[in-house]
Amino acid sequence: MSLKRKATKSLVWTFTQQFGNQLIGFVVSLVLARLLLPEDFGLIGMIAVVVAIGNALLDGGLTKSLIRDKDCDEEDYSTVFYFHLTSSLIIYFLVFVSAPFIADFYEKPILVNIIRVYSLSLIITSFSAVQVARLTKIMDFKTQALIAIPAALVGGGVGVLLAYRGYGVWSLVWSSILTSTINSIQVWIYSGWSPDFIFSKAKFKKHFNYGYKLTLSDLLNRVFNNLFLIVIGKYFSAAHVGFYTRAEGMKQLPVNNISSALNKVSFPLLVSIKDDEVRLKRVYKKLMLMVVFVITPILIILATLAEPTFRFLFKEKWLPAVPYFQILCVTGLLFPLHSYNLTILNIKGRSDLFLKLEAIKKLIIIIVIVLAIPFGILALLYGQVIVSLLAFFINARYTKKFINYSGWQQIKDVFPILITAALSGGIVFVLDQFVLINQLDIIRIVLGGIAGSAVYLSFAFIFRFDSLFELYKLILKK
């Protein structure tokens, strides 16, 4: 099978998994948002950093090293498996002991038991991390999709049932645990691999030397990605955290569906051509522009129609999240650029530079947060936009070095897409505010979305955007 055909097949199944999971997750979240209070989601948001740190320590560099290494054998996989499992037990013990201190920090005693139960997912997922890495390495995304969707469906369904019966925040906790459990069980059944009783110090050293820098980078990234949640939870209320997580979740819906799906395929794909710099740059640019082409109009149109969308989907109680969402959409526009620039460092094996860049960006985040706190939550969110802009140019520095594709060249390439999407958003705004303002929310959403999409695609066709025709061939042609 050719590389292009293999990539296309992988994309189809990755999108199936992403869209299936996101669709189920969105429907479940929609129902739960109507049944639960913003404070319930806020409590889960407060402990997000704990789970994020655990996942970073478990899922960081060693599995990426397995995917990147062309010569993995049974010793490699089994060694990393046992390291993951042992690490998960140690990390869970530390989380268990730390739970009262975290609850005291937020002044929320209920968090002690929530943390201790919710964090069990760290042990559960450690059982399947290596199997998933093997499936990703061979680009078997069909199996991953057929595993993930039933797990999300059952776990989400149980969460809704528990919420309906009045379990409150615990419906979110048990839904997460059940989803992780079903997913791990299926991975063991369908992946076709289980570990041997082997642990090689040499193999561990090889993967650890590559992976620990990525793990530290991922750890820094996840802590600081959740730093805004920590600050909001400490200085404001659980409800504010709930509004923030709802806005972030809505922003991540298109980002996760599209960008994450393509990134999952693009990493092993780009690894396979990492030594051909001309081809690497061409494929890199094509993938990045394709993601930007799809994500940009969706985020801009959603931001324009945020008020009727939030009221229709989640009811009036969630309207305070609207301005949060509109600001966060700007950071969502930059996400594909961040992701692909950092991917270059990964595939080139420069985890040392990856860690260096992450440390610089985190210093910027601390400075921005300290300056923004006195001015309230919206200032913190605008601070995220500033951080994201600065981080893009920092990330792009080494992309120029390795494949001669600078940040300014990337901006130049995506600029026509941004302008076209902004124009489409402006037309949607005028239509919504001056024509549809007195209509039902669903009418405003549907007509505004159709109008914005039609304008965007029309301009893309008129100006012959390459990404439009690449997507056409990907979706409609075999």
Side-chain angles (χ1 to χ4, degrees):
M1 185 182 295
S2 69
L3 182 63
K4 182 175 181 180
R5 185 177 176 187
K6 191 174 184 179
T8 301
K9 183 180 179 181
S10 298
L11 278 174
V12 170
W13 281 109
T14 305
F15 274 117
T16 300
Q17 178 183 348
Q18 287 292 140
F19 279 106
N21 278 347
Q22 290 295 317
L23 178 61
I24 294 167
F26 179 71
V27 172
V28 169
S29 178
L30 176 62
V31 176
L32 290 174
R34 290 169 171 262
L35 293 173
L36 302 176
L37 298 173
E39 289 84 349
D40 294 322
F41 289 90
L43 290 171
I44 298 299
M46 287 177 176
I47 69 168
V49 66
V50 178
V51 179
I53 290 173
N55 284 326
L57 293 171
L58 291 174
D59 188 45
L62 269 69
T63 53
K64 284 187 174 65
S65 181
L66 290 175
I67 296 171
R68 180 180 176 275
D69 192 342
K70 295 181 178 180
D71 302 314
C72 284
D73 57 22
E74 194 63 34
E75 280 192 348
D76 293 270
Y77 292 120
S78 295
T79 297
V80 175
F81 174 86
Y82 289 117
F83 173 76
H84 266 253
L85 182 58
T86 304
S87 298
S88 71
L89 295 172
I90 296 171
I91 292 167
Y92 178 75
F93 173 76
L94 295 175
V95 171
F96 188 94
V97 172
S98 303
F101 301 102
I102 299 170
D104 288 343
F105 174 80
Y106 288 116
E107 299 179 357
K108 297 285 184 183
I110 191 177
L111 287 179
V112 174
N113 290 330
I114 292 176
I115 291 170
R116 287 173 171 174
V117 176
Y118 198 92
S119 298
L120 286 169
S121 62
L122 297 174
I123 299 175
I124 297 168
T125 55
S126 71
F127 277 94
S128 58
V130 172
Q131 287 92 330
V132 172
R134 289 184 79 256
L135 293 172
T136 301
K137 185 180 181 70
I138 62 175
M139 301 183 76
D140 183 359
F141 298 102
K142 177 180 178 179
T143 298
Q144 293 185 57
L146 295 177
I147 287 171
I149 292 175
L153 189 62
V154 175
V158 170
V160 170
L161 178 62
L162 292 175
Y164 181 75
R165 289 179 164 245
Y167 281 80
V169 65
W170 286 101
S171 59
L172 300 173
V173 175
W174 290 114
S175 175
S176 175
I177 293 294
L178 185 59
T179 301
S180 298
T181 302
I182 295 174
N183 190 80
S184 287
I185 291 173
Q186 290 187 100
V187 167
W188 269 76
I189 294 173
Y190 298 114
S191 68
W193 181 85
S194 59
D196 286 340
F197 292 104
I198 304 171
F199 188 91
S200 167
K201 291 182 179 180
K203 299 287 189 179
F204 171 74
K205 185 177 180 180
K206 177 182 70 172
H207 294 296
F208 184 80
N209 285 341
Y210 170 80
Y212 84 89
K213 296 166 190 171
L214 289 181
T215 299
L216 290 176
S217 300
D218 194 25
L219 180 60
L220 276 174
N221 201 35
R222 297 196 191 206
V223 169
F224 280 85
N225 281 347
N226 286 279
L227 192 57
F228 288 92
L229 272 177
I230 297 172
V231 172
I232 294 171
K234 178 62 178 176
Y235 292 99
F236 302 94
S237 67
H240 283 97
V241 178
F243 294 138
Y244 178 87
T245 56
R246 175 60 51 200
E248 177 70 13
M250 277 292 288
K251 181 209 79 176
Q252 286 296 105
L253 189 63
V255 171
N256 278 340
N257 270 333
I258 300 160
S259 184
S260 297
L262 275 172
N263 289 349
K264 193 174 182 180
V265 173
S266 64
F267 183 71
L269 175 64
L270 293 173
V271 164
S272 67
I273 56 173
K274 65 180 181 179
D275 297 323
D276 185 345
E277 292 191 5
V278 174
R279 189 181 182 194
L280 178 61
K281 178 180 178 179
R282 184 175 70 251
V283 174
Y284 170 94
K285 178 179 176 180
K286 182 181 295 186
L287 288 171
M288 184 193 72
L289 289 177
M290 192 180 300
V291 178
V292 173
F293 178 80
V294 177
I295 286 179
T296 302
I298 294 174
L299 286 176
I300 289 178
I301 293 171
L302 278 175
T304 306
L305 298 172
E307 182 181 337
T309 300
F310 271 71
R311 184 168 46 236
F312 175 74
L313 293 176
F314 309 118
K315 296 186 177 181
E316 296 276 346
K317 63 184 178 181
W318 288 99
L319 282 181
V322 167
Y324 299 10
F325 172 71
Q326 291 172 324
I327 297 170
L328 289 172
C329 279
V330 180
T331 64
L333 296 176
L334 293 168
F335 180 83
L337 302 180
H338 289 302
S339 180
Y340 277 96
N341 279 283
L342 293 176
T343 295
I344 290 297
L345 293 181
N346 282 335
I347 66 174
K348 290 293 185 179
R350 296 304 304 270
S351 54
D352 56 329
L353 296 178
F354 196 109
L355 179 57
K356 177 183 176 181
L357 293 182
E358 290 303 311
I360 294 171
K361 289 182 290 185
K362 298 336 170 195
L363 178 61
I364 295 173
I365 290 176
I366 292 174
I367 294 171
V368 168
I369 287 178
V370 170
L371 294 175
I373 283 177
F375 301 98
I377 290 181
L378 292 183
L380 283 169
L381 297 179
Y382 283 117
Q384 274 193 266
V385 175
I386 294 172
V387 168
S388 190
L389 286 169
L390 293 174
F392 162 68
F393 287 103
I394 293 173
N395 291 337
R397 177 183 176 186
Y398 288 104
T399 307
K400 175 177 173 56
K401 177 180 178 180
F402 287 118
I403 63 171
N404 195 30
Y405 195 27
S406 70
W408 288 112
Q409 285 178 304
Q410 294 175 49
I411 292 293
K412 181 181 177 181
D413 287 336
V414 303
F415 190 72
I417 295 174
L418 293 174
I419 291 297
T420 304
L423 177 61
S424 304
I427 292 174
V428 172
F429 176 81
V430 172
L431 177 66
D432 182 65
Q433 293 298 309
F434 296 98
V435 179
L436 303 174
I437 188 66
N438 295 318
Q439 300 296 321
L440 294 174
D441 287 334
I442 184 62
I443 294 177
R444 294 170 65 183
I445 296 167
V446 171
L447 293 184
I450 291 173
S453 300
V455 170
Y456 180 75
L457 291 174
S458 297
F459 276 108
F461 182 80
I462 291 171
F463 292 106
R464 312 296 294 178
F465 283 8
D466 290 338
S467 297
L468 174 65
F469 298 101
E470 289 291 338
L471 283 169
Y472 172 81
K473 288 188 286 187
L474 178 65
I475 295 171
L476 296 182
K477 291 188 178 182
K478 296 182 179 179

